Amino acid sequence: MKGEERQDSMPHGKSPQRFYQHRAAVVVDIAVDPATLFEHLDDQAKLASHMMQSSAMMAGSSMKFTFDHDRGRMLGSRIGMHGKVLGLSLELSEIVTERDPPRRKAWETEGVPRLLVIGAYRMGFDIAPQGLGSRLTVFIDYDLPNWPWRLLGLIPGRA
């Protein structure tokens, strides 16, 4: 697996409604066909399982998820997250805004998320055939959080 990372501060938005201040993306080649890779990544519970477990990234805390009946696997599906980090309540709601199997999926926050290092965001992935496997691009377009957390978002938000 070979990867490259890109980050910048230019507005990037595929949605006509919303442009975000920042973007980070990673591109990797994976020896799995696009349909199989999409099927694996389309499972929001698997994709976000790292946030459901206590970790250093979550300062020893974890998030709890709620899913609608489509479990994030349909256009318009909703996903909720809530938890506490360092005693502060975090909460957000996401909606699946693009879903084009086996090529692309994107979801974004609804309303004003209550997060520490980033604010509103759109996240997703693009899959393109690459030889016998796939080229996967995982991206996040995001804004910094509101004050007083904006300063925290300038450094760890990019990580």
Side-chain angles (χ1 to χ4, degrees):
M1 191 183 319
K2 180 181 144 192
E4 66 186 60
E5 186 172 342
R6 178 180 152 235
Q7 298 179 340
D8 58 47
S9 295
M10 298 294 291
H12 294 276
K14 295 198 185 287
S15 168
Q17 307 94 314
R18 179 75 195 240
F19 288 92
Y20 295 89
Q21 297 169 329
H22 303 278
R23 179 178 180 86
V26 176
V27 179
V28 294
D29 292 335
I30 300 177
V32 175
D33 69 276
T36 302
L37 181 57
F38 187 93
E39 179 64 27
H40 180 75
L41 295 175
D42 193 31
D43 186 335
Q44 296 289 134
K46 282 183 190 174
L47 198 60
S49 64
H50 67 284
M51 294 179 65
M52 293 185 224
Q53 302 169 11
S54 177
S55 68
M57 182 175 116
M58 295 293 295
S61 300
S62 63
M63 298 289 278
K64 291 183 175 60
F65 283 70
T66 57
F67 297 96
D68 67 5
H69 65 280
D70 291 321
R71 300 199 50 81
R73 289 183 172 235
M74 297 293 289
L75 191 63
S77 288
R78 288 188 159 64
I79 302 133
M81 287 183 252
H82 67 278
K84 285 190 175 205
V85 173
L86 302 172
L88 300 168
S89 293
L90 303 181
E91 186 175 8
L92 66 102
S93 178
E94 298 173 327
I95 184 168
V96 176
T97 57
E98 296 178 64
R99 189 170 181 281
D100 182 18
R103 291 180 282 282
R104 180 174 175 86
K105 183 175 181 180
W107 55 97
E108 63 186 300
T109 53
E110 292 186 290
V112 179
R114 205 173 336 161
L115 298 170
L116 293 178
V117 296
I118 64 171
Y121 63 82
R122 176 180 32 254
M123 180 179 269
F125 57 84
D126 291 304
I127 300 171
Q130 179 71 19
L132 297 176
S134 303
R135 174 157 288 167
L136 170 66
T137 303
V138 179
F139 65 87
I140 183 168
D141 300 326
Y142 66 98
D143 291 333
L144 292 175
N146 294 326
W147 293 100
W149 308 115
R150 183 173 296 267
L151 293 174
L152 191 59
L154 288 172
I155 297 168
R158 288 188 173 257

